[in-house]
Amino acid sequence: VGRDGPGFNSIRNMPDVEKKVPLKDTGDAECGSCKLEASAPTGENESGPKDHPPCRSRPAGLSPLVDNVSKLNNNIGMNRDFRMEEKVLPPSSLEGKVKETMHNAFWDHLKEQLSAIPPDFSCALELLKEIKEILLSLLLPRQNRLRSDIEEALDTELLQQKAEHGALDVPHLSKYILDTMTLLCAPVRDEAVQKLENITDPVWLLRGIFQVLGLMKMDMVNYTIQSLQPHLQEHSIQHERATFQELLNKQPSLLSHTTKWLTQAAADLTTPLPTCPDTSDSASVAGSSPSEAAISPEPLSPTMVLSQGFLNLLLWDPEDEDFPETLLTDRTQLQELESQLSQLTILASVLLVASSFSGSVLFGSPQFVDKLKHITKDVMEEFKSRPEEAMQTVSEQVSQEIHQSLKNMGLAALSSENTASLIGQLQNIAKKENCVRSVIDQRIHLFLKCCLVLGVQRSLLDLPGGLTVIEAELAELGQKFVSLTHHNQKVFGPYYTEILKTLIPSAQALETEVESL
């Protein structure tokens, strides 16, 4: 058998299965460290039992699907599109280098065993045993005939006997495995399985089989999650509410901060928003959307108060300890959303200012806009601690990019006066009271408010002025925010309803429980 089959390069380019979260443990077969597991490294000691012939280090052992079932249930309950994703390790990271070294050492050792005279099939047998267990784990309950077929074709004792007599036909077994994978894989994996059929080197073929099986296991995990999602969501809601009720029974004042939070939200709705004074900045001419212009004072309703309350959480002072009790477990995620919102405010502000100096032709180029986005996003971490220095960098790079792009398109370059004005307006974004920044911040909050009432997709159809250039980023932020608040309403709706009855006694909508909104 050739050592460098035609599929060598294709298998090198396949995603590493060890980055995926496995469906279940595939067994505890022992061959020192021969056992290959389709999972991420756990960092545990991987050396084999001392009474076994030593095989070289192998990929790390299989970890459980989740370490905390309750945490997983909560994540799935809050996100209807929840999916397990592969963990991508940077090749330059220490963990990535160690993992790659361990994997290469294992596969090199397997090649040595199969190339020996007579061949040593000890590690190959362990791989075949694990492949069998993985294939069985992918079967549905009704696939009894295929289960029996796999059990017979990959019978461990029979394979052991053949290996002892030097009659183990690895290429033949690999072909059977590929045929079975073709039957079981999702259509999206057909191409990956077909590529394996061109590999003649047995070691690279086995390696490729494990990689694709890892993808198939991930597909099965996500299929199972989607199937169970409604049940897990309901279980998560009931469990969280029951747990909170137990605490409330012991501490009757447990909802004091939540009451204060909703009271403040109701007060905010009766107070007009501060308006930004007129400014000569050309960027301030961006038009408002119809939804923004149509807002007018209306009688308070539970929906309005609760939506305002959730929006206020994105402005919460980290030093304020009076955080609503019903949202304590979500505080970290809310802080992450607040950080994401702040970054989008800066990004949209920079793009709005830049657009007024770039012209419609230049700013109509997606490639040009993407360059400005990358320039701004690259300094976001620095902006947190040194906003003035960060915006100095942005202003210089953006003005240079505009100048060069105009030149490349044969358009008139910016005059020195316009360049100075552009740089000055961009640097002013570092100030919290900057008008462009304030307007963009208000409009992003308006968008999120619409998301809570109308949904993300409908809200994206009528974006406030200046936000269309960050539509994709807003869609991601809006979906996260809506998922979190929707789940929280489902859990704590009955408590919110009772509090809101005291705040809005005349509201007709109180006949409908908040959790149904």
Side-chain angles (χ1 to χ4, degrees):
V1 178
R3 293 177 180 271
D4 299 306
F8 179 87
N9 290 328
S10 66
I11 196 63
R12 287 184 75 176
N13 295 328
M14 287 187 181
D16 220 356
V17 64
E18 290 80 3
K19 299 171 186 175
K20 296 287 190 177
V21 180
L23 178 62
K24 69 171 188 176
D25 196 330
T26 54
D28 299 314
E30 296 179 353
C31 176
S33 56
C34 288
K35 182 179 174 186
L36 176 67
E37 303 279 5
S39 65
T42 62
E44 298 175 358
N45 188 344
E46 298 295 337
S47 60
K50 295 182 179 180
D51 56 338
H52 283 275
C55 288
R56 298 200 180 186
S57 297
R58 60 173 171 83
L62 188 64
S63 59
L65 174 60
V66 288
D67 296 324
N68 190 322
V69 175
S70 296
K71 182 177 180 181
L72 179 64
N73 284 351
N74 188 56
N75 288 337
I76 296 174
M78 289 174 55
N79 184 2
R80 287 175 290 182
D81 299 320
F82 179 87
R83 289 179 59 86
M84 301 296 285
E85 300 289 345
E86 62 177 335
K87 178 184 178 183
V88 179
L89 296 175
S92 58
S93 68
L94 177 60
E95 186 178 359
K97 291 179 179 178
V98 171
K99 173 185 167 184
E100 184 66 18
T101 300
M102 292 175 64
H103 284 206
N104 289 337
F106 170 80
W107 293 112
D108 288 343
H109 183 55
L110 177 62
K111 177 175 287 189
E112 291 176 4
Q113 285 192 337
L114 296 181
S115 301
I117 301 176
D120 181 356
F121 294 110
S122 56
C123 284
L125 285 171
E126 292 301 325
L127 296 182
L128 291 172
K129 180 179 180 181
E130 289 205 38
I131 289 173
K132 169 189 171 183
E133 293 171 348
I134 294 174
L135 290 175
L136 292 175
S137 73
L138 297 175
L139 297 177
L140 297 175
R142 65 175 180 272
Q143 294 177 297
N144 295 322
R145 183 175 179 180
L146 186 54
R147 184 182 304 276
S148 300
D149 190 26
I150 295 173
E151 291 277 10
E152 180 180 350
L154 298 177
D155 180 81
T156 303
E157 294 184 2
L158 180 59
L159 295 179
Q160 179 69 46
Q161 293 175 8
K162 290 183 177 181
E164 292 174 354
H165 293 85
L168 188 65
D169 191 344
V170 175
H172 175 74
L173 291 170
S174 299
K175 185 179 185 307
Y176 170 79
I177 292 168
L178 292 179
D179 291 341
T180 306
M181 290 169 64
T182 301
L183 292 174
L184 296 177
C185 73
V188 71
R189 305 301 175 197
D190 284 342
E191 183 179 356
V193 176
Q194 290 173 4
K195 287 182 179 180
L196 295 178
E197 296 175 355
N198 297 323
I199 302 176
T200 56
D201 183 276
V203 174
W204 281 105
L205 181 55
L206 286 172
R207 187 168 189 169
I209 286 173
F210 264 91
Q211 290 174 334
V212 178
L213 281 175
L215 299 177
M216 292 170 61
K217 291 174 68 176
M218 186 59 61
D219 294 338
M220 178 60 76
V221 169
N222 287 317
Y223 170 78
T224 304
I225 287 175
Q226 292 301 312
S227 300
L228 297 177
Q229 200 272 342
H231 307 285
L232 293 175
Q233 182 184 45
E234 183 61 28
H235 172 78
S236 176
I237 292 170
Q238 298 300 331
H239 174 73
E240 289 185 59
R241 186 184 299 168
T243 301
F244 187 82
Q245 184 61 50
E246 290 180 6
L247 295 174
L248 187 61
N249 293 339
K250 298 177 182 179
Q251 305 176 46
S253 62
L254 190 58
L255 286 171
S256 58
H257 295 334
T258 301
T259 302
K260 180 180 178 181
W261 163 59
L262 291 176
T263 302
Q264 182 61 52
D268 291 341
L269 289 172
T270 59
T271 304
L273 287 174
T275 57
C276 182
D278 291 337
T279 175
S280 59
D281 287 354
S282 57
S284 66
V285 300
S288 61
S289 70
S291 61
E292 183 176 11
I295 289 181
S296 59
E298 297 179 3
L300 293 183
S301 70
T303 304
M304 293 172 59
V305 175
L306 198 54
S307 296
Q308 183 63 43
F310 285 130
L311 288 170
N312 289 347
L313 295 173
L314 299 177
L315 301 171
W316 204 272
D317 182 356
E319 302 299 323
D320 188 350
E321 296 299 328
D322 295 343
F323 201 78
E325 298 89 347
T326 55
L327 285 140
L328 286 174
T329 57
D330 301 319
R331 189 167 190 177
T332 300
Q333 287 180 278
L334 285 165
Q335 290 173 341
E336 292 174 355
L337 291 178
E338 188 278 330
S339 176
Q340 188 175 348
L341 187 154
S342 298
Q343 292 180 11
L344 290 185
T345 298
I346 302 302
L347 177 60
S349 300
V350 169
L351 295 175
L352 185 56
V353 171
S355 67
S356 62
F357 289 87
S358 304
S360 58
V361 176
L362 183 57
F363 212 76
S365 167
Q367 292 79 10
F368 174 74
V369 175
D370 285 342
K371 287 182 180 179
L372 298 191
K373 283 186 177 182
H374 285 304
I375 290 172
T376 308
K377 290 178 179 179
D378 286 343
V379 301
M380 282 304 181
E381 288 301 320
E382 181 184 357
F383 188 89
K384 296 178 181 179
S385 57
R386 298 183 298 174
E388 291 80 10
E389 290 86 344
M391 291 313 302
Q392 173 71 29
T393 301
V394 169
S395 64
E396 294 174 355
Q397 293 185 14
V398 167
S399 61
Q400 182 179 357
E401 186 64 40
I402 292 176
H403 174 80
Q404 187 61 44
S405 297
L406 289 173
K407 182 179 178 181
N408 293 342
M409 297 183 69
L411 302 174
L414 293 178
S415 65
S416 57
E417 181 180 351
N418 283 341
T419 300
S421 177
L422 168 62
I423 292 176
Q425 291 189 36
L426 289 174
Q427 291 178 347
N428 282 336
I429 294 175
K431 303 176 182 178
K432 292 184 178 180
E433 64 273 14
N434 174 262
C435 187
V436 175
R437 181 174 169 179
S438 298
V439 169
I440 291 296
D441 183 67
Q442 290 178 16
R443 291 179 179 176
I444 293 180
H445 278 82
L446 172 64
F447 165 74
L448 292 176
K449 194 169 190 176
C450 290
C451 287
L452 293 177
V453 179
L454 303 176
V456 177
Q457 295 305 316
R458 287 184 61 185
S459 301
L460 289 171
L461 297 177
D462 189 23
L463 283 175
L467 300 188
T468 55
V469 287
I470 59 169
E471 180 177 347
E473 292 86 352
L474 285 175
E476 179 185 355
L477 174 65
Q479 189 58 57
K480 290 180 180 178
F481 188 52
V482 169
S483 295
L484 186 151
T485 56
H486 177 76
H487 181 78
N488 183 268
Q489 284 183 194
K490 287 287 187 179
V491 175
F492 299 103
Y495 305 106
Y496 296 151
T497 298
E498 293 304 314
I499 295 173
L500 290 171
K501 284 180 179 179
T502 64
L503 299 177
I504 324 171
S506 61
Q508 298 178 356
L510 283 176
E511 296 178 1
T512 303
E513 291 188 355
V514 171
E515 70 170 319
S516 67
L517 297 178

